[in-house]
Amino acid sequence: MSEAEQTETGNEYPHRYNALMAQKLEGKWQDYWEREETFHAPNPGEEGFDPDRPKKFIMDMFPYPSGVGLHVGHPLGYIATDIYSRYQRMQGCNVLHPMGYDAFGLPAEQYAIQTGQHPRITTEANIATMKAQMRRLGLGHDPRRSVATTDVSFYRWTQWIFLQIFNSWYDEELDRARPISELIEELESGRIEPGDTESNPGGGKWQDLNGQERAAIINERRMAYVAEIPVNWCPGLGTVLANEEVTAEGRSERGNMPVYKRPLRQWMMRITSYCERLLDDLADLDWPEPIKLMQRNWIGRSEGAEVDFLGIDPAGGESAADGWIETRGSSGWPGGSPPEELAIRVFTTRPDTLYGATYMVLAPEHPLVDRLTAAEYDDSVPGPWRGQFPGQPAETSTPAEMVAAYKDYADSKTDIERQMEEKEKTGVFIGAWAINPVTEEKVPIFIADYVLMGYGTGAIMAVPAHDTRDFEFATQFEVPIIEVVKAPSGAEIAEGEAFTDHGTAVNSGLIDGLDTPAAKNKITGWLEENGLGSGTINYKLRDWLFSRQRYWGEPFPIIYDSDGAPIGLRDSDLPLELPEMEDYKPEVDEDPDSQPKPPLARAKDWATVSIDGKDYQRELNTMPNWAGSCWYYLRYLDPDNDERYAAEETEGYWMLSGKEEKARPESYDAGTSRIGGVDLYVGGAEHAVLHLLYSRFWHKLLFDLGHVSTPEPFHKLFNQGYVQAAAFTDERGIYVEASEVEEKDGSFFHDGKPVNREFGKMGKSLKNAVTPDEICSDFGADTLRLYEMYMGPLEASKPWNTRDIIGSHRFLQRFWRNLVDEESGELRVSSEPADGELQKKLHKTIAGVRADMDSLGFNTAIAKMIELNNALTGLDSIPAETAGSLVKMIAPFAPHLAEELWEKLGHSGSLAYEPFPEADASLLVEDQVEVAIQVMGKIRARISVPAGLDAEGLEEFARQDPAVVEALEGLTVRKVIAVPDSLVNFVAN
RNA sequence: GCCAGAGUGGCGGAAUUGGCAGACGCGCCAGAUUCAAAAUCUGGUGACCUUACGGUCGUGGGGGUUCAAGUCCCCCCUCUGGCACCA
């Protein structure tokens, strides 16, 4: 018989805490909290706001409102932040603990497509379902602050932020973003020159340019800009994707569809301007080191030098190159781009190996390839140079034919195919040579796909002796290998491998004999003096591709005039709402060469707009789903504000703290400014380089423009682990419903047939999902909350085991029984004071629980409360003071049960704001402690001694113990180690 | 391949700065209660040897430092996550 049935039949324990009672009182208190607005957190200036309390802003990474609802893995973090929030409220803090929904983007849209309903309808239904599930868990969010990124009143501000970004530029000198109006002022006053750029070839003066030219120069410098660059085109999803959304296998992170590199005109965000600050400010953040490291790696800073090699015109003979080095020596290093048509700029982290650069490699897409490719191969060109790649033409082909074939080959390969081949290098000698600027020797130029157009300059100097990839290529293509770095004596050098570590320069002219760092310095200095190179820093991070060809996203607040130049909408034109459409499906295609076709193009009436009598075309792309998640935490602060994304005072209070002076841009210094930000942000590690990097970038930009008070959004980040669960496969390898699997003698059976057990992330695909609703029905939300926290450390991934839940349920039941008579329902609480022993135990528990709470060690906090509770089971009645303290301690974990007991104890109202118990320090000291006595490291006795006894005293006690005397017999004591309150060790022989 | 994290009873997991390994829970065993069962309560439960007292071994494996190592150092194995020709 189940417990629930038992109560229904009304037997001898009508007042026992069981699933049925749990559900009854959980409903009661959830209604109470809602009715009494228990978890409403007032903003500064609002009724009930107390400026004297410290603030805590505690939040989770908000979820996608998916159609299948939550399983027990999802709320792990939500429960943790709820417990922490409740604890902080009881500590007297103003706690902001909201929850929202990341409802735009591919998952929501694809679910809508599957179900054939408009995404808004399915999204709203899904949000309602999730809200109900979270309410049932007793999560104390402030319901007024529940935002969804799809709300027009929300994305109106996403659009506003986009315009802020669009209307700003990065001032390299001041190292911060500034409004675009200030750029115009700078250009007009002549403090900044337009410069020789793509939009202003020849570097014309501002005064001499017409309006259209000026607009082009401005647009080129915006933090949000349109550019034609190679992007990740995913025809299967009908959209382009950010680098961060493409897996190592060259597939879309969502949907696992093939992704191809295609040059397309798209919106970009200049996140690369913030590389250095995104990197530097990590140091001040209280984040897990692995996440910081992932961001550092993703940003990928490397120090080195840019060096120019001069390509020799294969048609023009060698004389054109004469005097090049001398010319550079007098003209100096050209910053922007090399003045010579055929100069090939490379980036290297090892300028000290320049003397060993025996060839060059350009990416197949490098702009100089066609210009440099020779008409014929010289007869002296070795066979292996003429091309090594699958499907190559005959060796007698011309360089142009070879190059064309190789480009086709490289182009056709998806990244996944590249991986397959891995070991073998491919490439083609293009028949041309270049001059090494330090040796002045001719080196051959190859193209090969191991050089990537997207990194550095798309060209390298190859030093086969000291770079693994160059070594492989050189070996395979039979290019000379010259050693220029000698390994330090004692270092092991593997035969047949490149030596890539630091050493001493050899065969290297003016840097001979220098160790690597000194050699780098000296040669870089020499290059700079001679105008041939310059020390630089390179980053892996690319600008952020910001447009998507989807319906279900924020429309860009951008229109185009007849010139095709983008114009930002005025604030008064916001929000720009998504048009209602019959057909919002993306156009997907198997063909990698298909062109993106945004669904909004089909909204003909919406796509064109007339303003002041002039016709404009709207931007038809939408924003990626990261847009809303980049800043949603700010909207929680003041979700109904129509004037600003959040009131200034409110933002300053919750983000920085109400009392501190604000760190505004003019006083900003990365090293000393307060970081501020959300006090606790809990979520999965999978967002390490996506959401968390984008969000930091937007926040810094808003900070530079003076819209937020802190340079960082999230002060403390915590990654909760995954909930794993057993999954079972049958002999065909297909997953079977885990709930139907039976265990017999350590083996597992489904439908009588043996099945294999494995562990994986809980979810639909592994058929092992357990929903919180079923656990709430079987045990109650309080039991579920407790169990999820008791499973193990919050940061660890741990397996779900329904069988273990009963332990947490029994604890609550036993706790209840300690305070309430199960037959009569009468309190078992007495007004007698607790005896000394119990007092001590209670205060030790309080101290331990507090320490654990502060460090999010909820599993051990629970263990300590269980211990105390177990100590109470033998008592006839529980002293009221002890009972009250325990109820308050358990309240963050099992809030419904605690509220009910609090009420039974004679209090009115909620205990949500009751002070958390404090330990009396005087009760924490023991007067007797047990000390272990070891002889030669083995424990021979345990004795009880007065606490704090010094080493001599301890030794004295220890020597009197009969077991010790026996163990020491016949031995000479050489040394005695005595650690007060811990142990004594006799070293003897 | 590179980087990071982890490996402790049958299971989930405890163990400030090196200082009594296995807290707490599940499971299991025994007892109480019960006509009986469930529930509940009490006790036991790392392995091996021993009738017992007691002893030996034991934190993935191997070596080392130390009076003392789950914890520090070196090598290796396995698992998880991230990156992946980044010049």
Side-chain angles (χ1 to χ4, degrees):
Chain A
M1 207 199 305
S2 82
E3 292 172 48
E5 286 169 288
Q6 190 184 45
T7 300
E8 275 160 6
T9 56
N11 63 30
E12 63 267 51
Y13 302 119
H15 297 280
R16 171 167 289 180
Y17 180 84
N18 55 24
L20 203 74
M21 186 188 301
Q23 289 192 67
K24 224 166 64 195
L25 57 92
E26 281 164 13
K28 167 184 164 186
W29 287 102
Q30 283 157 16
D31 291 344
Y32 174 94
W33 295 329
E34 186 174 293
R35 193 173 62 240
E36 301 296 323
E37 306 183 346
T38 306
F39 303 117
H40 287 206
N43 278 342
E46 282 183 350
E47 198 198 325
F49 176 76
D50 181 356
D52 293 330
R53 293 164 175 265
K55 68 93 186 177
K56 289 275 187 233
F57 186 178
I58 300 161
M59 55 181 274
D60 299 275
M61 291 186 187
F62 66 165
Y64 295 110
S66 89
V68 292
L70 300 175
H71 60 65
V72 292
H74 291 118
L76 187 73
Y78 308 159
I79 293 169
T81 52
D82 189 56
I83 289 168
Y84 192 68
S85 298
R86 287 174 183 270
Y87 171 61
Q88 294 299 350
R89 271 186 214 108
M90 296 175 81
Q91 297 251 72
C93 294
N94 285 333
V95 172
L96 182 63
H97 183 46
M99 177 58 84
Y101 300 89
D102 190 12
F104 268 134
L106 292 181
E109 183 177 285
Q110 279 181 324
Y111 180 74
I113 290 166
Q114 275 166 30
T115 58
Q117 278 181 303
H118 192 281
R120 181 165 300 286
I121 294 170
T122 52
T123 299
E124 278 169 7
N126 294 348
I127 289 174
T129 306
M130 284 182 99
K131 274 190 182 168
Q133 284 184 306
M134 291 197 204
R135 183 187 141 99
R136 197 171 179 195
L137 289 168
L139 300 177
H141 300 131
D142 182 342
R144 302 170 307 161
R145 300 174 189 263
S146 177
V147 300
T149 53
T150 47
D151 295 340
V152 176
S153 61
F154 182 96
Y155 74 67
R156 178 232 185 284
W157 293 104
T158 312
Q159 291 171 330
W160 176 82
I161 293 171
F162 178 87
L163 287 174
Q164 296 301 311
I165 300 170
F166 177 71
N167 286 318
S168 63
W169 61 293
Y170 205 84
D171 185 335
E172 300 290 343
E173 216 153 302
L174 298 181
D175 201 18
R176 64 178 175 90
R178 298 170 64 189
I180 208 84
S181 55
E182 294 180 16
L183 174 64
I184 296 170
E185 282 168 29
E186 301 274 15
L187 286 162
E188 276 170 357
S189 69
R191 280 194 298 271
I192 288 181
E193 292 292 334
D196 181 0
T197 66
E198 203 179 317
S199 59
N200 186 33
K205 294 260 179 261
W206 183 256
Q207 286 73 18
D208 306 333
L209 301 173
N210 66 30
Q212 209 175 324
E213 288 164 333
R214 288 179 177 187
I217 286 168
I218 304 248
N219 286 340
E220 199 182 41
R221 300 187 71 155
R222 291 179 187 274
M223 296 300 285
Y225 62 98
V226 179
E228 170 137 355
I229 57 148
V231 299
N232 305 296
W233 167 234
C234 180
L237 291 173
T239 188
V240 297
L241 298 170
N243 291 339
E244 292 81 356
E245 293 171 300
V246 180
T247 64
E249 287 80 35
R251 295 187 153 252
S252 62
E253 200 161 65
R254 295 207 171 267
N256 201 32
M257 309 273 195
V259 173
Y260 306 88
K261 281 274 177 201
R262 289 282 170 279
L264 293 170
R265 269 183 80 76
Q266 297 290 326
W267 279 97
M268 304 296 292
M269 290 247 168
R270 212 177 290 283
I271 190 172
T272 50
S273 294
Y274 284 89
C275 279
E276 205 65 41
R277 283 167 61 188
L278 287 169
L279 212 48
D280 286 348
D281 290 356
L282 280 174
D284 298 327
L285 297 177
D286 186 1
W287 284 21
E289 274 314 312
I291 299 293
K292 289 189 182 182
L293 193 68
M294 279 161 72
Q295 291 218 343
R296 283 191 193 105
N297 290 342
W298 193 262
I299 295 167
R301 181 184 198 273
S302 54
E303 280 181 33
E306 287 189 333
V307 186
D308 283 350
F309 283 56
L310 187 65
I312 301 166
D313 190 337
E318 291 176 28
S319 56
D322 288 350
W324 170 61
I325 288 170
E326 288 69 28
T327 312
R328 277 295 187 88
S330 51
S331 68
W333 172 251
S337 50
E340 305 85 0
E341 186 204 354
L342 295 183
I344 304 165
R345 182 157 295 176
V346 301
F347 173 74
T348 177
T349 55
R350 292 294 298 271
D352 60 302
T353 61
L354 248 173
Y355 287 88
T358 53
Y359 68 103
M360 297 191 77
V361 186
L362 309 191
E365 312 92 317
H366 195 284
L368 281 174
V369 171
D370 290 333
R371 179 66 185 80
L372 281 168
T373 301
E376 298 291 335
Y377 281 123
D378 203 292
D379 287 343
S380 62
V381 172
W385 289 23
R386 301 192 183 200
Q388 292 186 32
F389 58 98
Q392 69 186 78
E395 224 174 69
T396 50
S397 307
T398 65
E401 285 165 348
M402 278 292 187
V403 166
Y406 187 72
K407 280 188 178 181
D408 280 349
Y409 157 77
D411 204 37
S412 70
K413 277 205 301 183
T414 61
D415 287 348
I416 193 162
E417 286 163 336
R418 284 190 179 197
Q419 279 201 299
M420 296 293 186
E421 289 148 22
E422 227 171 320
K423 279 284 155 214
E424 289 293 286
K425 288 275 182 291
T426 60
V428 171
F429 173 53
I430 65 171
W433 303 75
I435 294 169
N436 179 324
V438 297
T439 62
E440 301 186 32
E441 304 267 333
K442 273 176 32 176
V443 296
I445 304 170
F446 290 81
I447 56 172
D449 64 3
Y450 83 89
V451 173
L452 310 172
M453 198 57 219
Y455 184 77
T457 59
I460 61 157
M461 63 175 215
V463 185
H466 306 290
D467 180 278
T468 314
R469 295 147 302 175
D470 296 344
F471 181 84
E472 283 167 13
F473 186 92
T475 314
Q476 213 178 302
F477 282 73
E478 297 172 27
V479 185
I481 300 171
I482 299 173
E483 186 194 38
V484 291
V485 182
K486 195 149 193 62
S489 57
E492 259 181 64
I493 315 149
E495 197 57 35
E497 268 179 46
F499 174 71
T500 58
D501 289 341
H502 286 191
T504 310
V506 291
N507 300 325
S508 292
L510 74 153
I511 55 170
D512 265 343
L514 295 178
D515 60 12
T516 300
K520 278 189 192 179
N521 263 332
K522 183 157 183 192
I523 197 72
T524 305
W526 184 88
L527 287 167
E528 280 170 358
E529 275 164 39
N530 290 279
L532 295 165
S534 170
T536 45
I537 294 160
N538 212 332
Y539 299 92
K540 236 166 82 179
L541 185 69
R542 307 283 89 196
D543 274 345
W544 174 20
L545 172 66
F546 195 70
S547 36
R548 299 291 183 278
Q549 291 72 43
R550 309 298 292 196
Y551 170 74
W552 196 230
E554 299 88 345
F556 281 74
I558 291 286
I559 52 176
Y560 297 91
D561 63 14
S562 48
D563 300 332
I567 300 163
L569 289 181
R570 294 165 301 201
D571 268 6
S572 56
D573 293 326
L574 300 183
L576 171 60
E577 292 193 44
L578 272 173
E580 285 303 319
M581 289 177 73
E582 284 292 303
D583 177 16
Y584 45 79
K585 291 192 187 76
E587 289 193 28
V588 298
D589 209 320
E590 300 279 293
D591 180 9
D593 295 322
S594 59
Q595 287 295 309
K597 301 179 198 79
L600 288 180
R602 301 196 296 268
K604 295 273 186 298
D605 293 345
W606 181 87
T608 53
V609 60
S610 181
I611 295 174
D612 299 337
K614 225 180 132 188
D615 283 344
Y616 296 90
Q617 179 78 38
R618 287 204 194 280
E619 170 63 52
L620 300 174
N621 289 306
T622 51
M623 300 187 201
N625 57 325
W626 308 109
S629 61
C630 266
W631 76 281
Y632 71 108
Y633 54 95
L634 292 170
R635 191 58 178 171
Y636 282 148
L637 304 174
D638 201 357
D640 298 322
N641 195 324
D642 295 329
E643 306 295 316
R644 201 168 182 266
Y645 74 88
E648 220 174 319
E649 188 194 359
T650 301
E651 182 273 329
Y653 176 73
W654 290 113
M655 289 300 285
L656 191 56
S657 173
K659 295 168 232 159
E660 306 287 337
E661 205 169 303
K662 290 184 184 181
R664 285 286 173 194
E666 35 295 8
S667 66
Y668 174 70
D669 170 19
T672 58
S673 282
R674 295 207 26 175
I675 288 290
V678 173
D679 296 277
L680 178 65
Y681 191 31
V682 173
E686 68 272 21
H687 291 112
V689 291
L690 288 155
H691 159 59
L692 288 171
L693 197 60
Y694 297 152
S695 206
R696 293 182 64 213
F697 161 50
W698 276 32
H699 198 90
K700 286 190 179 305
L701 216 154
L702 291 173
F703 176 74
D704 285 355
L705 298 176
H707 298 307
V708 295
S709 314
T710 68
E712 285 285 339
F714 310 118
H715 187 99
K716 182 180 172 74
L717 174 73
F718 191 95
N719 294 122
Q720 94 274 16
Y722 297 112
V723 171
Q724 299 172 312
F728 301 89
T729 52
D730 61 17
E731 70 275 14
R732 294 164 301 171
I734 294 173
Y735 288 101
V736 300
E737 195 55 51
S739 56
E740 296 164 6
V741 170
E742 292 176 339
E743 185 181 353
K744 246 180 264 166
D745 307 325
S747 301
F748 300 92
F749 299 90
H750 180 257
D751 232 4
K753 295 184 200 110
V755 288
N756 278 321
R757 183 172 67 163
E758 50 187 80
F759 282 90
K761 231 172 129 175
M762 185 174 278
K764 220 171 50 169
S765 57
L766 301 188
K767 290 194 183 168
N768 61 354
V770 178
T771 66
D773 305 77
E774 52 190 290
I775 303 300
C776 285
S777 301
D778 292 349
F779 298 97
D782 283 335
T783 298
L784 175 61
R785 292 168 63 106
L786 204 67
Y787 172 66
E788 294 225 3
M789 293 302 105
Y790 191 58
M791 283 165 72
L794 192 57
E795 67 272 22
S797 287
K798 52 239 154 186
W800 176 266
N801 197 347
T802 301
R803 194 181 67 178
D804 290 350
I805 300 172
I806 188 69
S808 300
H809 189 66
R810 283 209 276 252
F811 163 51
L812 293 181
Q813 196 173 57
R814 211 172 293 159
F815 179 56
W816 176 274
R817 183 163 49 234
N818 278 335
L819 303 194
V820 179
D821 187 282
E822 293 186 323
E823 290 176 50
S824 66
E826 294 295 309
L827 273 181
R828 299 183 63 250
V829 170
S830 74
S831 50
E832 300 286 306
D835 68 38
E837 205 50 40
L838 183 58
Q839 275 291 76
K840 272 189 175 177
K841 228 172 244 171
L842 172 67
H843 283 263
K844 247 176 87 178
T845 306
I846 293 171
V849 168
R850 272 184 169 269
D852 287 342
M853 295 295 266
D854 290 334
S855 61
L856 306 177
F858 299 132
N859 54 331
T860 46
I862 294 168
K864 290 178 175 102
M865 289 189 284
I866 293 176
E867 270 184 276
L868 177 58
N869 188 51
N870 288 347
L872 299 180
T873 49
L875 305 177
D876 294 330
S877 67
I878 311 299
E881 191 206 329
T882 314
S885 292
L886 239 181
V887 166
K888 283 194 274 188
M889 266 195 283
I890 215 170
F893 296 89
H896 314 90
L897 171 111
E899 293 275 24
E900 186 70 17
L901 288 172
W902 187 246
E903 190 180 67
K904 278 189 185 298
L905 287 171
H907 304 278
S908 61
S910 169
L911 53 48
Y913 294 89
E914 288 296 318
F916 201 83
E918 282 187 61
D920 180 344
S922 68
L923 291 170
L924 297 178
V925 283
E926 297 286 342
D927 29 83
Q928 288 288 114
V929 290
E930 198 186 52
V931 168
I933 313 298
Q934 301 176 331
V935 175
M936 292 304 291
K938 288 199 196 303
I939 291 169
R940 295 298 170 189
R942 291 174 220 274
I943 57 170
S944 185
V945 299
L949 187 66
D950 63 12
E952 290 83 45
L954 261 184
E955 186 182 334
E956 195 124 331
F957 265 96
R959 279 185 185 278
Q960 288 163 19
D961 188 90
V964 175
V965 171
E966 191 187 336
L968 285 175
E969 216 175 80
L971 297 177
T972 315
V973 174
R974 302 284 170 201
K975 196 174 171 189
V976 181
I977 286 106
V979 183
D981 295 347
S982 179
L983 55 62
V984 180
N985 189 7
F986 290 95
V987 185
N989 59 6

